[in-house]
Amino acid sequence: MKKTLLIVCALLLTACGSVSGETSNPSSHHDVTQELEKTYAGIYKDYKELIPVEHWEQEEFPLVNPTSVKMLQQFMVEKAADVVAKEVDLDSDGTNELLVGFQTPISDSEKMTVYGQIKGKVIDLLSDILVEDADDFMMFYKNNRMRLDQTTHNNGGSGIYELTDEGLKELIFISVDLEGDLVDGHLVSKDRQGNIIEDTEKKIEEVIGHPHDQEVIE
């Protein structure tokens, strides 16, 4: 995600935009929107405060993802890393999600996690998806698709997700054992069901619905 995608905290306090269609209680919707923005601003503030902190209690920052903080801290350069964020309505339901990432002087902005409102409660949508000690790369698309690439010391994987009323739904995840045996000179990629995927990128783009570098949320 480019630097232009992720913006400073001030924009977290701007209006999320109007919801299409009429509501029976506009003032109630306004109150909910204001509360959501307040919560998002608080999450952003918590991440900012935790940048230089080595030890902290999860109970004090219940919405902060510890894995995300570790991802941030490992990229710190003389404590110059900074948290950045942007609100985007990923599933076009009239309610924004919060994309949280970081910047350093030597790298473009990277994503750490995503927050959204599920059943009236703000949650970290990636809390059960991010893997500690993994290099993660996320990309968001205009058709409510998210691509997540993960690499550990012995495994690599690519997954496609969509945001639903229940949270992020995995559409496909293809993994490869980086220490596995070679077949015809190549490592074998498989989906969750154990099916061999001959062309990972082709399959990923099939699930996205278009080439992976198109219709990206900037």
Side-chain angles (χ1 to χ4, degrees):
M1 191 173 293
K2 299 179 180 178
K3 290 183 179 178
T4 54
L5 186 151
L6 296 168
I7 54 181
V8 295
C9 183
L11 288 184
L12 291 178
L13 302 178
T14 60
C16 288
S18 61
V19 181
S20 60
E22 297 191 1
T23 60
S24 58
N25 192 341
S27 62
S28 176
H29 171 72
H30 177 75
D31 292 342
V32 171
T33 300
Q34 291 287 82
E35 185 61 31
L36 185 61
E37 289 180 348
K38 181 180 178 181
T39 301
Y40 283 167
I43 292 171
Y44 176 88
K45 181 175 179 291
D46 286 346
Y47 274 101
K48 292 277 287 186
E49 291 181 354
L50 290 175
I51 290 176
V53 178
E54 184 175 354
H55 301 292
W56 51 280
E57 297 297 328
Q58 180 72 51
E59 293 78 13
E60 297 181 33
F61 304 91
L63 288 177
V64 171
N65 187 324
T67 300
S68 295
V69 173
K70 291 180 181 179
M71 289 168 59
L72 170 63
Q73 291 176 334
Q74 72 178 344
F75 284 97
M76 289 178 62
V77 179
E78 297 181 355
K79 297 186 178 180
D82 194 19
V83 177
V84 285
K86 181 179 178 67
E87 289 185 27
V88 179
D89 187 358
L90 296 174
D91 55 356
S92 302
D93 69 345
T95 303
N96 284 358
E97 283 70 49
L98 177 70
L99 312 186
V100 182
F102 63 91
Q103 287 178 307
T104 74
I106 61 172
S107 71
D108 290 336
S109 299
E110 300 291 348
K111 282 67 62 185
M112 290 193 299
T113 195
V114 185
Y115 290 86
Q117 191 171 215
I118 303 297
K119 296 182 179 179
K121 182 178 180 181
V122 174
I123 68 169
D124 180 352
L125 297 170
L126 295 182
S127 60
D128 296 326
I129 297 176
L130 293 181
V131 178
E132 189 171 347
D133 298 325
D135 291 328
D136 296 287
F137 176 78
M138 289 168 244
M139 187 172 288
F140 300 89
Y141 299 95
K142 296 177 182 178
N143 65 344
N144 191 23
R145 295 290 187 271
M146 183 194 82
R147 174 172 180 163
L148 173 65
D149 293 334
Q150 292 182 323
T151 304
T152 64
H153 71 283
N154 61 358
N155 190 271
S158 294
I160 302 299
Y161 303 80
E162 69 173 355
L163 184 58
T164 72
D165 292 341
E166 301 295 323
L168 284 173
K169 175 184 177 181
E170 182 181 288
L171 302 180
I172 192 170
F173 192 88
I174 302 172
S175 61
V176 55
D177 182 356
L178 300 178
E179 296 180 344
D181 296 330
L182 298 178
V183 176
D184 295 330
H186 301 283
L187 290 170
V188 177
S189 297
K190 297 181 179 180
D191 63 16
R192 297 284 195 198
Q193 292 70 44
N195 301 310
I196 295 177
I197 306 299
E198 298 290 348
D199 189 331
T200 298
E201 282 303 311
K202 181 178 179 180
K203 186 64 176 180
I204 287 292
E205 292 187 346
E206 176 185 318
V207 178
I208 294 174
H210 54 69
H212 75 277
D213 57 351
Q214 295 181 11
E215 298 297 314
V216 177
I217 294 178
E218 298 290 349

